[in-house]
Amino acid sequence: MFRQALIAGGGIGGLAAALAASRAGWDVRLFERASAFSEVGAGVQLGPNVVKVLHGWGLADALQAVAAFPERLQVRSAVSGQLLGELPLGDTMAQRYGAPYLTIHRADLHGVLLHAVQQQADVKLHLSRPLQSFTQTAQAVTVQADDGPGIEGDALIGADGVWSTVRQELLGDGLPRRTGHLAYRALVRQSDLPEALRSRQVTAWLGPRMHVVQYPVRGGEWLNVVAIVQGEVAAEADLWDHSANAADLAAATSGCCAALREVLEAVEGWRLWVLHDRAPMQGAHQHAVGRVALLGDAAHPMRPYLAQGAGMAIEDAAELGRALAQALDPALDVPTMLQRYALNRWQRNARVQARALRNGQVFHADGVVRWGRDLAMKVLGEKLLDMPWLYAGGGS
């Protein structure tokens, strides 16, 4: 049975959705506003829950060629430099959950997905064609992507990010909210760093009203560094990517230990992101209505304190693929299957959103709360850092 999926957005979520829909037996037309496929940003952490999905799509070798596979996650005090807790990754994580924990440049992950999508003969990619509007009936959904005639399909997937046009048309629930947190991101070639600053592991430095995460990408040749501090910038800076003032970051991290300041001072070319999110999902209605479904940041933008933003988009795509495969049965209509997708995803996504919110409060704690956090981390360490409910993947 012929079915056509229309996808808005050509980022990680959109490409994952296109690949999953194609693998499910659907024809796919993807609309991207940019004139070329690219991905800004820096690194991404992918837990075994996500890597398992990507391996299932046949991407293990492609990931092996571009990712890094850190052996451990360490949590340290940004103030004293003291080790607070540690979680083994590497073989331990792979044996425990059936897939490794990896770190990867966003552009490399995007490239792996794009290459896989380009191998699918039933996927058509349209650049410089942002989705402008859509209408839906019981029988079809029609999108307007330019001044030409509308394009009809059986389902529309809004994977157009935190500022999603599809979401605004579908739910009309306003713009995402500023978090009051700023992300400074940078990449530095490890060979350009002093030996003592090079790293093959994930390190999270926790401090009052800030934290820093560093980890290898691109086979370990580059170090990704992200510093997140509490603060605000001018309203016009809402768009994602800006060059950053290193002096502002230095001021925000002036109370940090010498070891962390050395890392930050060794980095040049910081970029600044103003972080936005939405409250945790409240129900399946925020994931799908009729023949239109939302995926990734369009549905559940979240704070980066659980390292699962890209991961939840990829998990969404896998569940979407299962729903679309069932929708090829003439006895099962598309809206019902998209509702099943929504019901199977919204609670897990809400849980991850809520946990990311809570982690931000814990990471940036001060005073008595920070003292209690550090003590708990020293005593419980691995038990606090390992999350079977998340890393085992799947349901909510």
Side-chain angles (χ1 to χ4, degrees), residues 205-252:
W205 305 80
L206 309 186
R209 295 175 56 82
M210 56 74 62
H211 78 285
V212 176
V213 181
Q214 62 181 77
Y215 51 82
V217 294
R218 296 192 158 158
E221 292 184 8
W222 291 76
L223 187 67
N224 179 73
V225 186
V226 183
I228 298 184
V229 304
Q230 292 175 217
E232 291 286 358
V233 294
E236 60 269 18
D238 272 345
L239 297 178
W240 280 92
D241 188 16
H242 307 267
S243 64
N245 185 339
D248 292 341
L249 176 60

Side-chain angles (χ1 to χ4, degrees), residues 106-329:
R106 290 188 72 91
D108 293 338
L109 175 58
H110 188 268
V112 165
L113 291 169
L114 178 59
H115 180 75
V117 167
Q118 288 171 330
Q119 307 312 301
Q120 306 294 116
D122 51 6
V123 178
K124 293 183 175 61
L125 304 175
H126 302 279
L127 291 166
S128 300
R129 293 190 75 184
L131 185 142
Q132 297 169 351
S133 63
F134 69 85
T135 57
Q136 64 168 318
T137 66
Q139 290 74 40
V141 59
T142 303
V143 305
Q144 196 70 41
D146 50 30
D147 295 333
I151 300 157
E152 189 175 280
D154 297 284
L156 168 62
I157 311 304
D160 47 345
V162 66
W163 303 101
S164 171
T165 298
V166 176
R167 183 185 182 116
Q168 289 313 306
E169 290 252 338
L170 186 67
L171 303 180
D173 58 352
L175 297 175
R177 63 189 182 185
R178 278 192 175 205
T179 63
H181 293 199
L182 307 174
Y184 292 81
R185 303 179 189 267
L187 285 162
V188 58
R189 192 184 292 273
Q190 299 236 45
S191 59
D192 292 340
L193 292 172
E195 186 74 36
L197 299 184
R198 299 172 192 174
S199 178
R200 298 286 175 181
Q201 65 186 28
V202 182
T203 305
W205 305 80
L206 309 186
R209 295 175 56 82
M210 56 74 62
H211 78 285
V212 176
V213 181
Q214 62 181 77
Y215 51 82
V217 294
R218 296 192 158 158
E221 292 184 8
W222 291 76
L223 187 67
N224 179 73
V225 186
V226 183
I228 298 184
V229 304
Q230 292 175 217
E232 291 286 358
V233 294
E236 60 269 18
D238 272 345
L239 297 178
W240 280 92
D241 188 16
H242 307 267
S243 64
N245 185 339
D248 292 341
L249 176 60
T253 56
S254 59
C256 293
C257 64
L260 175 54
R261 289 203 314 276
E262 275 187 69
V263 173
L264 299 177
E265 289 166 4
V267 173
E268 297 180 2
W270 291 99
R271 307 295 296 177
L272 175 64
W273 274 257
V274 180
L275 299 183
H276 293 75
D277 72 351
R278 291 184 184 274
M281 300 188 84
Q282 298 299 303
H285 66 283
Q286 292 177 309
H287 240 319
V289 178
R291 290 178 174 270
V292 182
L294 301 175
L295 180 146
D297 283 351
H300 43 76
M302 60 186 69
R303 303 190 186 190
Y305 308 133
L306 200 55
Q308 285 286 328
M312 289 303 102
I314 292 168
E315 278 196 11
D316 282 352
E319 184 61 38
L320 177 70
R322 288 188 282 271
L324 295 182
Q326 291 178 295
L328 293 178
D329 184 340

